[in-house]
Amino acid sequence: MWKAVQRFEANQAGRDFVIGDVHGAYTSIIAAMRKVRFDPARDRIFSVGDLVDRGPESHRVRQFLAQPYVKAIKGNHEDMLINLYANGAPDPKAIRFMVERNGLGWWLSVDEVEKQAILHAFRQLPIIIEVETPRGLVGMVHGDVPQGMDWPTFVSQVEAGDRDTIKAALWGRERIEQQNFDGVPGVGRIFVGHTPQWGGLRRFGNVYAVDTGAVFAELGHRDLDARQTMVELATCTQVLDVRKEPTLLDIRDTPPAELRPFGNYVTS
């Protein structure tokens, strides 16, 4: 049974990492895993969505999602593909539009059986993930939490199927566009994707934007200062606030010496 929210207990055996929007940049994820000496038997990877489109390796998405250590939420690109097939086989014109506008070209070379398998996997993805950590609760959503809304209210409205709240969860970027640093009450830390942060992740109160344009780094767009970002969930705020030098892999895996609760970065 599909659930809009998936909840995970604290990882008592290993580490938990979050990655920004993938868009088919799976080679850089493997490189990041090697850099942190990722242990598939103990560690977990959480994705903030947008696993496909634009990148030539998008066809690897189902293999990625099949790994037991991978936990992902739905991004707007997964949602668009689901909606494209909501009433059966889509109009070829709609496919062409998605290819030209949203980087769906990879889909044309996927056979029908695999297409259906990918669609099934996407339909299982939640909109929100919550993870318990030794420092407190971490939330993940692709787009945004509506400004002025606390985390428990946001979660309950998504679970209730509220269309406006779900739209914000998948497509929202108002907080980042308006450079709002108020944060979201009721949760220790939130990770979002959707809106690229050129030059490295950024913090908006207790909301961390970790889409740093991984696919553009793989495609060689050096002018954008794009990179793949991988963050250990309990990493101390001081480490996350440091702007990194230009690099294709931005790893933040330095937890605090003492696992104190997350700081209060919510101002309203």
Side-chain angles (χ1 to χ4, degrees):
M1 180 180 177
W2 178 77
K3 293 183 178 180
V5 181
Q6 284 190 0
R7 297 176 172 89
F8 296 88
E9 295 181 355
N11 187 346
Q12 302 293 346
R15 300 166 296 169
D16 285 339
F17 294 93
V18 61
I19 54 174
D21 294 20
V22 180
H23 286 300
Y26 292 104
T27 295
S28 63
I29 293 177
I30 293 171
M33 291 169 67
R34 288 173 177 163
K35 191 168 183 178
V36 300
R37 299 181 181 275
F38 186 87
D39 183 348
R42 301 168 62 245
D43 302 333
R44 300 186 293 196
I45 292 178
F46 292 90
S47 162
V48 294
D50 276 7
L51 298 158
V52 297
D53 295 344
R54 301 196 181 103
E57 296 180 319
S58 292
H59 64 279
R60 298 173 63 180
V61 62
R62 193 165 69 91
Q63 180 183 2
F64 179 68
L65 288 174
Q67 304 308 310
Y69 53 80
V70 171
K71 317 297 177 184
I73 54 177
K74 183 191 301 181
N76 64 299
H77 279 254
E78 286 79 47
D79 195 54
M80 285 190 292
L81 192 53
I82 291 170
N83 291 335
L84 192 63
Y85 283 80
N87 299 311
D91 187 318
K93 291 183 180 178
I95 292 285
R96 286 199 298 272
F97 176 83
M98 292 283 284
V99 168
E100 296 169 1
R101 184 74 177 268
N102 297 309
L104 193 66
W106 66 278
W107 189 248
L108 303 179
S109 60
V110 176
D111 66 49
E112 191 60 33
V113 173
E114 183 64 11
K115 283 179 179 176
Q116 293 305 316
I118 291 172
L119 286 168
H120 176 74
F122 285 176
R123 292 184 182 114
Q124 310 312 307
L125 297 176
I127 297 172
I128 295 170
I129 278 179
E130 291 186 335
V131 186
E132 292 290 347
T133 78
R135 301 189 64 199
L137 181 66
V138 171
M140 299 175 202
V141 63
H142 180 65
D144 198 4
V145 177
Q147 294 190 56
M149 183 178 291
D150 63 45
W151 182 256
T153 301
F154 172 67
V155 170
S156 65
Q157 291 197 9
V158 168
E159 288 184 309
D162 182 78
R163 291 185 178 182
D164 290 339
T165 309
I166 291 174
K167 183 178 180 180
L170 294 172
W171 291 89
R173 49 168 55 108
E174 186 179 27
R175 180 183 316 277
I176 295 175
E177 289 181 339
Q178 296 184 3
Q179 298 291 287
N180 185 309
F181 295 88
D182 289 347
V184 178
V187 64
R189 179 177 280 178
I190 299 173
F191 291 100
V192 301
H194 190 47
T195 307
Q197 305 300 302
W198 310 120
L201 68 90
R202 294 198 63 193
R203 178 168 65 85
F204 298 84
N206 64 338
V207 179
Y208 293 81
V210 292
D211 174 13
T212 51
V215 67
F216 297 100
E218 278 203 5
L219 294 174
H221 294 280
R222 300 291 185 265
D223 57 312
L224 296 176
D225 196 4
R227 61 196 66 187
Q228 176 66 263
T229 293
M230 177 179 277
V231 177
E232 206 278 332
L233 298 192
T235 298
C236 57
T237 302
Q238 292 89 331
V239 172
L240 296 183
D241 278 345
V242 174
R243 302 294 282 178
K244 296 285 188 176
E245 295 298 320
T247 176
L248 297 183
L249 292 178
D250 191 348
I251 306 296
R252 312 290 182 99
D253 63 344
T254 308
E258 297 180 17
L259 292 176
R260 298 176 179 176
F262 292 123
N264 182 15
Y265 297 102
V266 179
T267 58
S268 67

